[in-house]
Amino acid sequence: MKILVPVKRVVDANVKVRVKADGSAVELANVKMAMNPFDEIAVEEAIRLKEAGKAEEIIVVSIGPQQAQETLRTALAMGADRAILVKTDEQTEPLGVAKVLKGVVDAEQPGLVILGKQAIDDDSNQTGQMLAALLGWAQGTFASKIVLEGDKAKVTREVDGGLQTVELRMPAIVTADLRLNQPRYASLPNIMKAKKKQLDEKTPADYGADVKPRLKVIKTEEPGGRKAGVKVKSVAELVDKLKNEAGVL
Ligand code: AMP
C-alpha cells in the first residue's frame, strides 16, 4: 500500500509573525519557513506505519512555489520515499489544494492519505475534509491514534470532552492531531542524501486542477494586546469583580 502525505510550507511556528504595514497580509519577506507542524506529525505516522510493515511506499506532495521543495526534502530526510512538487505561485486555498490532491490520488492510487489537521498559516482545517468529499472516501479527522487492520483503519479522534474511535473502510483520509506522535529529527546523513534526490515536478494543470484564489482577504490584524491583571485582596472582592466588572458570574 502507498501512503500519500501532503505537506505545506508555512512560516516557522517559532517565528513571531508580523502584519504588513498596509494590513494586506502577514509579512513573509526574509521570514524563516518550515514544514507545517501537523504535516510533520503526518509524515512521522506514515513512516511508523511503513516501519510496522503496513505500507510499502510513502509519497509526499506539496503545492506551492519552487521553495516548497525544501519542505519536501525535509520529509524525504525524515524517511519519505518519493516527493512531488506541484508548482504554483498562486496563494493556495483548501479547495484548490484538494482538487490537485484528488488528481494526485487518481494518479498514484494510495490506500491512505494522511494530512495535517490544519495549516498554521491559514488555520482553515478544510483540505482533508474537502478531499474526502471529492473522492467519496471515509475520513477520520483529528486523529490521535491510527491502527490499520486489513482493509480497515481504526482512528481515535480527539473530540470535545474525550476520545472517539471510528472504523474507516480504506482507502481513507486521516488528518493528524497534535498527540498522534512526536516527529523524529532527520539525521545529517539523511538530510545530505535528501538534497540529492530527484523530485517530480508538476503543475496544477497536469492534474486538471484550477488553484486560482476564490477568496479575498479584506484585512489582517495583529491580535489585541492583553489588559494588565489586578490583584484582589479577598475572595469577596474577586467574586464582586467577576460578577459586576467581567460579567462572567
Ligand atoms: P488547511 O485545510 O489549509 O488548514 O490544511 C490542512 C492540511 O492540508 C495541511 O496540514 C496539509 O497536510 C494539507 N495542505 C494544505 N495546503 C497544502 C499545500 N499547499 N500543499 C500541500 N499540502 C497542503
Side-chain angles (χ1 to χ4, degrees):
M1 181 184 71
K2 293 182 192 175
I3 302 181
L4 180 71
V5 185
V7 293
K8 188 174 187 187
R9 176 176 184 264
V10 298
V11 174
D12 187 292
N14 300 310
V15 167
K16 181 170 178 345
V17 291
R18 278 177 218 292
V19 172
K20 281 186 185 172
D22 63 3
S24 61
V26 162
E27 185 58 76
L28 293 181
N30 303 318
V31 171
K32 185 167 180 261
M33 307 291 279
M35 191 190 304
N36 183 44
F38 293 106
D39 304 354
E40 279 184 21
I41 297 172
V43 173
E44 174 66 31
E45 194 64 17
I47 297 169
R48 289 187 190 188
L49 288 168
K50 186 180 167 195
E51 286 169 347
K54 303 279 183 188
E56 282 85 48
E57 190 182 27
I58 300 163
I59 306 165
V60 285
V61 55
S62 193
I63 298 118
Q66 188 63 41
Q67 296 93 314
Q69 62 158 298
E70 291 156 19
T71 313
L72 290 168
R73 289 192 197 283
T74 305
L76 289 170
M78 284 172 75
D81 298 294
R82 197 149 61 80
I84 307 171
L85 171 65
V86 184
K87 227 180 115 183
T88 176
D89 290 321
E90 296 279 9
Q91 189 70 36
T92 57
E93 290 172 1
L95 185 56
V97 171
K99 287 183 172 178
V100 172
L101 293 177
K102 173 164 186 317
V104 179
V105 167
D106 289 344
E108 298 289 347
Q109 302 283 312
L112 186 65
V113 184
I114 313 179
L115 303 93
K117 74 162 179 181
Q118 89 193 51
I120 61 162
D121 53 358
D122 60 20
D123 278 337
S124 293
N125 172 231
Q126 293 171 359
T127 309
Q129 294 89 327
M130 287 179 171
L131 179 60
L134 291 175
L135 289 165
W137 286 9
Q139 58 177 313
T141 49
F142 313 116
S144 61
K145 190 173 172 194
I146 305 173
V147 179
L148 302 186
E149 282 163 9
D151 63 346
K152 301 266 182 339
K154 268 198 193 143
V155 176
T156 303
R157 310 181 54 231
E158 298 203 358
V159 293
D160 271 358
L163 298 173
Q164 178 195 57
T165 302
V166 291
E167 190 178 84
L168 315 177
R169 188 163 35 88
M170 303 229 288
I173 305 288
V174 174
T175 70
D177 212 327
L178 200 60
R179 277 162 286 273
L180 183 58
N181 61 49
Q182 181 73 46
R184 68 194 64 190
Y185 289 106
S187 67
L188 194 57
N190 286 349
I191 293 173
M192 300 314 286
K193 260 191 246 162
K195 278 192 193 226
K196 292 190 200 123
K197 275 207 177 171
Q198 184 76 30
L199 309 182
D200 255 4
E201 283 209 14
K202 302 277 189 188
T203 65
D206 291 333
Y207 296 107
D210 159 23
V211 292
K212 285 219 167 57
R214 292 157 174 87
L215 307 173
K216 186 172 160 210
V217 175
I218 297 172
K219 198 171 166 198
T220 308
E221 287 175 273
E222 302 258 357
R226 274 178 62 178
K227 277 212 253 158
V230 286
K231 270 193 181 166
V232 290
K233 292 198 179 70
S234 66
V235 174
E237 191 187 344
L238 174 66
V239 171
D240 178 64
K241 280 192 183 298
L242 290 175
K243 215 186 246 172
N244 302 315
E245 283 180 27
V248 292
L249 285 183

